[in-house]
Amino acid sequence: MYITGLPDILVEPVVRDALREDLGLAGDVTADAVILPKARFRAEFNAREAGIVAGLDCARIAMNLMDPHVRFEIVKPDASEVVAGDVIARVEGNARAILAAERVALNLLSHLSGVATLTQTYVKALDGLPARIACTRKTLPGLRGLQKHAVKCGGGHNHRYGLDDAILIKDNHIAICGGVEKALELAKAAAGHTMKIEIEVDSIYQLKQALPFKPDVIMVDNFDLETLREAVSIAKGKTILEASGGVNLSTVRAIAETGIDVISVGALTHSAPVFDIGLDAV
């Protein structure tokens, strides 16, 4: 499976800010001190464990921002499965430029590959079941688009990107406006014809209150397995049911076996381990 990356115009500002932070006011004083200005360098990005690649555009852009003449060859595109020892990409060009971009390139590539790899682990845990794994808005500031791209590389699905692309009524909204029915009544009145509405419920009672309003999605939050099965028996086919809360690799399959449609997992983006990638001279 090949997942195309995000457009450069969206990725470049993130990479540019990261390089600016790393270079500071004086640039790479180490490389400037010990490497001749016209020295050349050739290296490979190598996987040091098995997993899924994501974020190669970040590495490419980091190199090319330091020197547009650096040659960057992608060997294993985003969404590729790799094992330890696989070459992910090759880079060749001015040595100072490549070394100045190295840490930013590896930080973003390793983090996003970690997100993709963790996502695939969750997806594989549901083998044979129809439930989808989705990410959340629990993302690192400034990296949401990249992290959500990485989730797709791992076989997961994206939840809403921000506060503006879907109505999601949560417990605090319900408490402030006076209940499930009032919240949905107001949301229905405010929503345009293309705007989807989701509501979070914390009990079967609230689920039954929500159903007559026909929300597009009902999120059942922190339900135990017995209550999840009851929710599915009541609402399956009437709306999309999303399970959230208490989801980890030891619980996710049992949750999916209740018949739930979507399982949202914040850990995909906020707790993914870094994927080990090295830049090695050749």
Side-chain angles (χ1 to χ4, degrees):
M1 177 174 63
Y2 174 65
I3 303 286
T4 56
L6 294 168
D8 284 6
I9 196 171
L10 298 180
V11 180
E12 184 175 316
V14 176
V15 179
R16 189 181 293 275
D17 284 347
L19 285 170
R20 186 179 291 114
E21 176 184 62
D22 214 18
L23 291 166
L25 297 177
D28 185 356
V29 296
T30 307
D32 290 349
V34 303
I35 295 173
L36 294 174
K38 293 185 179 181
R40 304 283 294 176
F41 185 50
R42 184 170 59 194
E44 295 174 340
F45 289 86
N46 291 312
R48 292 178 176 161
E49 59 181 314
I52 305 295
V53 177
L56 278 163
D57 286 332
C58 297
R60 172 180 58 81
I61 290 171
M63 297 292 167
N64 288 147
L65 282 173
M66 293 307 303
D67 182 351
H69 300 295
V70 167
R71 190 171 72 87
F72 192 93
E73 177 195 359
I74 294 175
V75 179
K76 298 284 188 179
D78 280 11
S80 297
E81 292 192 35
V82 295
V83 297
D86 278 354
V87 177
I88 297 171
R90 296 186 177 96
V91 63
E92 182 176 359
N94 181 271
R96 286 185 176 182
I98 291 171
L99 292 181
E102 175 184 3
R103 179 43 51 200
V104 166
L106 285 173
N107 282 351
L108 290 168
L109 180 59
S110 297
H111 170 65
L112 295 172
S113 296
V115 171
T117 299
L118 181 60
T119 301
Q120 192 200 53
T121 304
Y122 272 90
V123 170
K124 284 186 172 181
L126 303 191
D127 242 4
L129 298 173
R132 291 182 169 194
I133 293 293
C135 57
T136 70
R137 281 170 48 242
K138 295 176 181 177
T139 54
L140 294 174
L143 294 184
R144 180 171 295 167
L146 296 176
Q147 289 184 310
K148 283 181 173 284
H149 165 70
V151 166
K152 290 169 65 178
C153 289
H157 296 266
N158 289 164
H159 212 293
R160 62 179 180 159
Y161 273 73
L163 294 171
D164 61 338
D165 60 330
I167 292 174
L168 175 45
I169 305 165
K170 296 180 71 68
D171 54 352
N172 285 333
H173 298 107
I174 293 168
I176 292 166
C177 70
V180 166
E181 293 165 325
K182 185 63 175 177
L184 282 169
E185 181 183 319
L186 292 168
K188 285 277 186 178
H193 70 285
T194 64
M195 181 67 70
K196 289 196 172 184
I197 298 174
E198 178 173 6
I199 188 165
E200 174 188 277
V201 301
D202 59 18
S203 67
I204 294 295
Y205 175 71
Q206 285 191 334
L207 173 70
K208 290 179 177 178
Q209 284 185 305
L211 279 173
F213 291 87
K214 299 181 179 179
D216 298 285
V217 186
I218 295 180
M219 180 192 297
V220 287
D221 186 47
N222 283 300
F223 280 27
D224 60 29
L225 293 177
E226 182 180 349
T227 312
L228 276 177
R229 283 188 284 269
E230 184 180 356
V232 169
S233 71
I234 293 168
K236 189 75 170 181
K238 298 176 183 176
T239 186
I240 294 171
L241 282 175
E242 175 187 341
S244 179
V247 181
N248 55 54
L249 284 169
S250 65
T251 63
V252 67
R253 187 169 182 89
I255 292 170
E257 286 172 341
T258 66
I260 211 78
D261 300 303
V262 178
I263 303 172
S264 53
V265 187
L268 300 182
T269 51
H270 70 59
S271 297
V274 168
F275 185 76
D276 194 0
I277 298 170
L279 182 66
D280 303 314
V282 293

